[in-house]
Amino acid sequence: MKIQKKILIICISVFLFLTAGYFGIAMFYAEGFTFGTYINGRYCTGKSVEQVNQELIERTGPMWLTIYYQDGIHEVNIVPKNMFDYDYTEELTKIADSQNPFLWYQNVFRKQGEGLTGYTVSPSVSVHQDKADKFFETFAMFELEENRRKDVTFYWDEETGYSFENRKQNVLDIEKAEEVCLNALIDNVVSETMVEVYLEESSCYYDAELTAEEKEQLALYEKLQNFLDFEIIYQMGKDQVVFDKKALGNMLKTDGGRMDFVFDETGSFMWDEVKVTQAVETIADNFDTYGKEHTFQATSGKVITLDKGTYGNTLDQEEEIEYLTQALENRVSEVHEPAYERKAWCQDKNDIGDTYIEVDMGNQKLYFYKDGKLIADTDIVTGDMRRRRSTPEGVYYIYLKQKNRILRGPGYASHVNFWMPVKGGVGIHDAKWRDEFGGEIYETDGSHGCINVPYDEMVNIYEQAEVGMPVVMFY
């Protein structure tokens, strides 16, 4: 009986001890967060609202703000921590009030992530506007937007011609942009350290209203663009001269300044006859090659400049002025091959092109290129230097092709099978009376000025050469 009584007393004592301990722990948690409480990833068991609030404030930040403008432009700035005041008290108090300290035992045997109470809270945020204003002053694009012109301009540009710039389009609303940025920072205080803001997606750009005068300028520009909406292309061999909107605009008639347009009785723009003539003269200056120096790279590699010859292009300016005047009146896009008073084999600036006969008198060689491919490479004999019958230098052209021709001169008459004259009585022909070609023969036993070619080579050259092909002759 005594043993049973002792056991009962011990059991009651243990029960009372455990009960006292349990309630003691519960009373401890009554002053703070209960066992197993995590807030924003931090262990908060037993801590008061004030303690946790201070810890979370200290843990907030730093933050970086990346602002994306139009066209992919962006800039990054670190956000000053003292720009905001944070306070988690309200959210923390709600959590504390919702917890029952007497149920702390539920979390004793649980591990974090397996049912322990975890909370994510956001602070109430107040902004120090003076510090925010200074922060946004550091953004270069905001400063540029503040200072840039916001108007429209109709003007002449030397690179593009008549241009219109509307600086009232896509104006950045800086006040709204700052508001969007502040809201983004406040919304992401807890979850992000790098905050990105896309101003275009946030509707921070707008088009400002044009004044009546600006609307008139825009209407005139659009009328001009419609009038110049065609293109005339001069095909100069492989080269082109394009009369695009800039070139066309340069030929409009104005009364003094570029923007002082002259209109006809229907209110349409007019062409300036003087400027049209000047445009044709400019084409001639750039592409006429007759009577001008020719620069030529020989097969040997050296570059030669020749200022003599009968070869080259000369534009028929009178006919082209008439054509261009009419083409402008019709305002029809077209490709035009101009008329020439003198027309060479090629009409490029490099009028020799890649089809020509090269007579290298210094090396006594003849080369024939057709479409850039070497057709003939042969030794030759040119004019007799001892008797002052040198073959002339310069750029000439084949102006005739004949077979079985008798070449006559003082004291001689020679039959040739193939004859291609290039300058007066000087030409390219076969010379069956010669057994040897090349070397220094021309210095003592040269021709009367012609280019003597071996018969077999001359057959090939004659068959593939055409009247008009350039012939470049030099020492």
Side-chain angles (χ1 to χ4, degrees):
M1 189 71 175
K2 290 181 179 180
I3 294 174
Q4 292 177 343
K5 187 177 181 179
K6 286 182 179 180
I7 292 173
L8 178 61
I9 292 171
I10 291 172
C11 289
I12 292 172
S13 298
V14 171
F15 174 77
L16 291 174
F17 176 78
L18 292 175
T19 300
Y22 179 85
F23 280 97
I25 293 173
M27 294 304 294
F28 172 76
Y29 288 140
E31 300 299 322
F33 292 101
T34 191
F35 181 81
T37 300
Y38 288 82
I39 301 176
N40 289 2
R42 297 186 68 80
Y43 187 62
C44 300
T45 298
K47 296 178 182 179
S48 67
V49 168
E50 292 74 15
Q51 288 175 314
V52 175
N53 181 54
Q54 188 60 38
E55 288 184 12
L56 293 180
I57 290 173
E58 292 175 356
R59 186 170 176 263
T60 302
M63 299 177 71
W64 285 265
L65 175 63
T66 302
I67 298 184
Y68 288 89
Y69 303 92
Q70 288 184 329
D71 303 322
I73 300 172
H74 70 281
E75 54 182 319
V76 183
N77 276 302
I78 187 169
V79 181
K81 194 169 183 180
N82 62 0
M83 197 168 88
F84 301 105
D85 281 337
Y86 306 105
D87 189 358
Y88 294 83
T89 301
E90 183 178 352
E91 293 294 318
L92 293 175
T93 301
K94 290 179 180 179
I95 295 172
D97 291 344
S98 69
Q99 291 184 333
N100 187 340
F102 293 97
L103 300 179
W104 61 267
Y105 67 90
Q106 293 179 346
N107 294 330
V108 171
F109 300 105
R110 296 176 182 174
K111 296 180 181 179
Q112 187 178 358
E114 295 180 356
L116 290 186
T117 307
Y119 302 90
T120 299
V121 295
S122 297
S124 59
V125 182
S126 59
V127 181
H128 293 284
Q129 194 59 48
D130 58 335
K131 293 182 175 62
D133 292 341
K134 289 182 179 179
F135 171 62
F136 289 119
E137 286 176 2
T138 64
F139 282 84
M141 292 299 293
F142 282 11
E143 183 179 0
L144 287 174
E145 184 66 25
E146 286 278 10
N147 297 327
R148 80 176 180 91
R149 293 169 55 185
K150 297 177 179 64
D151 57 6
V152 301
T153 307
F154 182 18
Y155 62 100
W156 172 264
D157 183 273
E158 292 298 331
E159 295 295 326
T160 60
Y162 285 105
S163 301
F164 188 89
E165 187 170 359
N166 185 354
R167 302 181 189 89
K168 287 192 168 182
Q169 288 182 321
N170 298 320
V171 177
L172 177 61
D173 187 334
I174 296 178
E175 185 177 341
K176 183 174 182 180
E178 291 179 358
E179 180 184 351
V180 169
C181 291
L182 283 175
N183 290 335
L185 291 171
I186 292 171
D187 292 343
N188 292 280
V189 164
V190 176
S191 59
E192 298 289 344
T193 58
M194 179 65 76
V195 178
E196 296 182 338
V197 173
Y198 294 82
L199 297 182
E200 190 169 13
E201 295 178 4
S202 301
S203 301
C204 291
Y205 289 91
Y206 68 96
D207 293 341
E209 183 70 23
L210 299 181
T211 66
E213 183 180 352
E214 289 170 340
K215 289 179 180 178
E216 287 181 5
Q217 283 188 297
L218 178 58
L220 179 59
Y221 172 74
E222 291 175 344
K223 177 181 178 180
L224 177 62
Q225 291 301 297
N226 183 62
F227 183 79
L228 299 178
D229 191 21
F230 67 103
E231 192 172 78
I232 299 171
I233 300 175
Y234 265 70
Q235 192 68 48
M236 313 299 293
K238 295 178 182 178
D239 298 322
Q240 289 185 334
V241 176
V242 180
F243 286 92
D244 53 12
K245 286 188 175 181
K246 176 192 172 184
L248 295 171
N250 200 38
M251 292 187 288
L252 290 174
K253 192 170 187 177
T254 57
D255 186 12
R258 286 278 191 181
M259 311 306 296
D260 299 324
F261 300 107
V262 177
F263 300 94
D264 62 18
E265 62 277 4
T266 67
S268 181
F269 297 94
M270 297 180 66
W271 303 106
D272 190 316
E273 294 179 1
V274 174
K275 293 178 180 178
V276 173
T277 299
Q278 290 173 344
V280 173
E281 289 174 347
T282 299
I283 296 175
D285 288 343
N286 289 331
F287 287 91
D288 279 4
T289 55
Y290 178 73
K292 296 182 180 179
E293 287 186 345
H294 283 83
T295 300
F296 176 77
Q297 182 167 353
T299 300
S300 63
K302 67 179 180 179
V303 177
I304 301 154
T305 300
L306 299 166
D307 59 2
K308 296 180 181 179
T310 57
Y311 181 79
N313 291 296
T314 303
L315 200 69
D316 188 335
Q317 294 190 38
E318 184 176 343
E319 186 169 337
E320 286 311 306
I321 291 171
E322 183 179 346
Y323 159 77
L324 187 55
T325 300
Q326 190 62 45
L328 292 172
E329 289 297 329
N330 293 334
R331 296 175 50 246
V332 176
S333 296
E334 59 186 4
V335 178
H336 171 67
E337 293 188 7
Y340 292 88
E341 291 180 357
R342 179 186 293 270
K343 190 173 184 180
W345 187 259
C346 293
Q347 284 67 58
D348 311 353
K349 287 185 178 180
N350 172 23
D351 61 350
I352 294 175
D354 57 8
T355 296
Y356 57 87
I357 291 176
E358 174 186 344
V359 180
D360 184 343
M361 293 179 284
N363 292 314
Q364 290 292 284
K365 296 286 289 186
L366 180 147
Y367 305 98
F368 180 11
Y369 291 91
K370 194 167 187 179
D371 297 326
K373 181 180 179 182
L374 184 61
I375 300 299
D377 174 355
T378 181
D379 292 331
I380 55 174
V381 176
T382 57
D384 192 329
M385 298 185 69
R386 184 184 60 180
R387 295 187 174 90
R388 297 182 180 179
R389 297 171 179 168
S390 299
T391 303
E393 288 189 282
V395 183
Y396 303 92
Y397 64 95
I398 299 170
Y399 65 84
L400 182 67
K401 288 178 65 176
Q402 282 186 328
K403 292 183 178 181
N404 297 315
R405 172 72 181 265
I406 302 295
L407 304 181
R408 300 181 187 276
Y412 75 92
S414 302
H415 172 269
V416 298
N417 294 281
F418 306 102
W419 168 243
M420 298 191 307
V422 297
K423 183 194 176 186
V426 175
I428 304 170
H429 60 80
D430 58 297
K432 279 194 169 183
W433 57 87
R434 290 188 181 277
D435 295 324
E436 296 182 357
F437 294 84
E440 299 177 354
I441 297 173
Y442 75 108
E443 294 181 356
T444 57
D445 187 24
S447 70
H448 290 84
C450 290
I451 299 96
N452 293 177
V453 180
Y455 177 83
D456 290 343
E457 293 289 347
M458 193 62 202
V459 171
N460 177 44
I461 294 170
Y462 187 88
E463 286 180 352
Q464 300 202 57
E466 298 180 46
V467 172
M469 281 185 178
V471 179
V472 185
M473 305 192 294
F474 60 90
Y475 283 97

